[in-house]
Amino acid sequence: MTDASIDLRDYIRDVPDFPKPGILFRDITPLLKSPAAMSAVIDRLAAPFEGQNIEVVAAAEARGFIFAAPLAIRLNAAFVPIRKPGKLPFASHSLTYELEYGTDTVQMHVDGVAPMQRVLVLDDLLATGGTVDACCQLLEKCDAEIVGCAFVINLKGLGGEQRLKKYPLHSLLTYE
């Protein structure tokens, strides 16, 4: 099976009423079980960024890590994990951001990125864009240059594209 012949939608399972009633969850675990589909995902995520001198691929835990590490290798870039508080063992930069009900915080090591490094921010899914927006703000606080944001899935209509409109966005699958 060639990369072009793989329909990634065949590897996304719809789970109704998860994690609560009225939510249709897009489950990526069938995709993770297929080496051919995973390879296609990495190829397709990398394609628009090849030749753009990406120096760092950054991702928030946890599912973003699954795709970010192989993408970083593919782009010959570093991988920088962005984590929840208390998960990193070294001195960290932090950014607290607003949620619909409350706040959350993301952190990365102080030596995660250098000023003016070209960074691609990756997550498995774009919904409201809050986590990726916080990651971008944290990276920009360190004077990194955000080259773009990439996603396996974009849940259109939840506001993520609008929230991240100042960055080039690349998504493999879009669901209305």
Side-chain angles (χ1 to χ4, degrees):
M1 190 177 303
T2 64
D3 174 60
S5 69
I6 294 175
D7 184 351
L8 296 177
R9 287 183 193 278
D10 293 342
Y11 297 89
I12 305 298
R13 178 176 25 223
D14 293 344
V15 181
D17 298 320
F18 183 83
K20 60 184 181 180
I23 302 292
L24 179 59
F25 186 80
R26 306 295 181 169
D27 181 15
I28 62 169
T29 55
L31 182 124
L32 301 177
K33 288 178 20 178
S34 169
M38 277 294 290
S39 182
V41 165
I42 299 308
D43 289 347
R44 295 174 193 180
L45 286 170
F49 300 102
E50 289 176 334
Q52 289 199 37
N53 193 29
I54 304 295
E55 297 172 279
V56 172
V57 176
E61 64 178 283
R63 291 184 310 265
F65 290 3
I66 295 167
F67 302 100
L71 180 61
I73 292 167
R74 174 69 184 276
L75 294 173
N76 196 32
F79 167 61
V80 172
I82 298 177
R83 307 221 44 205
K84 295 187 182 298
K87 301 287 186 177
L88 294 171
F90 188 61
S92 301
H93 293 296
S94 294
L95 183 108
T96 298
Y97 61 103
E98 296 293 322
L99 299 169
E100 188 174 353
Y101 300 104
T103 61
D104 207 350
T105 301
V106 291
Q107 295 183 324
M108 76 174 181
H109 282 149
V110 294
D111 60 357
V113 296
M116 301 313 299
Q117 274 195 301
R118 295 174 54 79
V119 179
L120 173 61
V121 180
L122 181 105
D123 206 351
D124 68 315
L125 183 128
L126 174 59
T128 65
T131 301
V132 169
D133 186 35
C135 291
C136 290
Q137 289 180 49
L138 180 61
L139 290 157
E140 288 174 333
K141 184 174 148 180
C142 299
D143 294 321
E145 177 189 348
I146 308 301
V147 176
C149 301
F151 307 91
V152 178
I153 297 172
N154 176 7
L155 299 179
K156 202 166 183 73
L158 294 181
E161 289 176 323
Q162 180 64 27
R163 187 174 196 156
L164 299 172
K165 67 183 178 186
K166 76 181 209 177
Y167 308 108
L169 303 179
H170 174 61
S171 300
L172 303 184
L173 298 171
T174 299
Y175 292 91
E176 297 298 322

